[in-house]
Amino acid sequence: MEELLNLNYAHLFESALLTEITETGILREAKEGEMLMDIGQYITAIPLLISGAIKILREDQNGDELLLYFLEKGDTCALTLSFTRGQQKSEIRAIAELDTLLIMIPIQKVEEWSSKYKSWRNFIFDSYQNRLEEMLNTLDSIAFMRMDERLLKYLKDKQKLNQLNEIHSTHQEIAYEMHTSRVVISRLLKKLELEGKLKINRNKIELLDLN
């Protein structure tokens, strides 16, 4: 774990903090699709991503999901941090988007390191700012973009995240993450296919030209 930390976080954290993370953190692997945190769970640790990606979802009163943002290498989850005070239960769901390697940091260390290490404090503040900007982008897309524009942005984000020109998600899974119906997604995907932007296959969507 020490080598992984140095490769991914040595440019952010001082050596004493890296040593403490090595001593207290727990290295964890998550397979694609594995749930790392569910709504209603008490939070005992926060993640530091080494590789892979995690999607953060919110659920409405009807059980429908909305994708808030993705966590990638070098990230942590600001929403998770906000629930570490007062033994609050999580209001988000975290699922591995890709095979993911992460280090779980006990929540009691979050505040301790914030007062002890400037680099950790800056990291936490930057995480809050980045996640806030991503959530505002999500709200903007819902409020101001048409559904076809939202779908195109969603596909581009997935392409960038996976670094692949294909998506292995069902129409229903895309609909869940975009908080809409499968019928709407299927219709819009077919429209994009007719425009030559993608090709719909049995078990995947091949991305051709999303510009």
Side-chain angles (χ1 to χ4, degrees):
M1 184 165 65
E2 183 178 359
E3 183 178 349
L4 289 171
L5 266 175
N6 287 329
L7 284 172
N8 293 279
Y9 288 94
H11 64 292
L12 291 175
F13 302 146
E14 52 262 76
S15 58
L17 175 54
L18 292 170
T19 299
E20 286 208 48
I21 294 174
T22 301
E23 292 173 349
T24 60
I26 298 172
L27 191 64
R28 178 175 176 181
E29 293 182 56
K31 295 295 183 182
E32 178 181 342
E34 181 179 340
M35 186 179 298
L36 296 165
M37 181 192 309
D38 201 5
I39 296 165
Q41 285 185 346
Y42 285 105
I43 297 169
T44 59
I46 67 165
L48 291 181
L49 265 71
I50 299 297
S51 63
I54 296 172
K55 59 185 175 185
I56 304 298
L57 304 140
R58 189 87 161 90
E59 187 177 87
D60 68 13
Q61 59 185 6
N62 297 318
D64 295 325
E65 293 179 329
L66 174 65
L67 175 66
L68 296 179
Y69 53 78
F70 291 102
L71 298 177
E72 300 179 71
K73 174 183 173 181
D75 287 339
T76 191
C77 183
L79 283 181
T80 303
L81 296 171
S82 69
F83 301 136
T84 59
R85 295 174 176 271
Q87 291 293 302
Q88 295 184 45
K89 293 181 180 180
S90 172
E91 295 181 13
I92 58 173
R93 179 172 292 128
I95 299 174
E97 174 72 11
L98 307 169
D99 289 347
T100 299
L101 186 63
L102 62 158
I103 298 173
M104 302 303 293
I105 305 297
I107 58 171
Q108 60 266 30
K109 292 295 180 180
V110 175
E111 285 197 42
E112 177 187 329
W113 291 347
S114 292
S115 59
K116 190 174 180 180
Y117 297 109
K118 182 180 179 180
S119 64
W120 178 260
R121 188 164 60 249
N122 290 340
F123 176 70
I124 297 302
F125 287 157
D126 287 345
S127 176
Y128 273 118
Q129 182 177 347
N130 293 336
R131 301 296 86 77
L132 176 60
E133 289 176 356
E134 288 168 341
M135 283 193 292
L136 289 175
N137 286 336
T138 299
L139 290 173
D140 284 348
S141 71
I142 294 171
F144 305 121
M145 295 175 71
R146 301 191 312 268
M147 182 56 71
D148 58 339
E149 293 174 326
R150 286 182 58 201
L151 177 58
L152 200 57
K153 179 180 182 298
Y154 171 91
L155 294 173
K156 287 179 179 178
D157 288 345
K158 282 271 192 174
Q159 183 181 43
K160 179 181 177 183
L161 186 72
N162 293 288
Q163 297 183 338
L164 293 171
N165 289 324
E166 56 186 43
I167 293 176
H168 295 270
S169 297
T170 66
H171 295 191
Q172 185 63 70
E173 288 168 341
I174 296 173
Y176 273 136
E177 292 187 358
M178 295 188 63
H179 206 269
T180 187
S181 70
R182 182 193 58 77
V183 173
V184 169
I185 293 301
S186 295
R187 175 173 56 81
L188 291 175
L189 286 171
K190 188 62 179 177
K191 177 176 178 285
L192 290 173
E193 184 176 42
L194 292 172
E195 293 173 356
K197 295 184 180 297
L198 53 82
K199 182 178 180 181
I200 301 172
N201 297 303
R202 183 177 177 83
N203 296 312
K204 66 181 180 181
I205 300 170
E206 186 179 350
L207 307 177
L208 302 176
D209 182 10
L210 298 182
N211 296 321

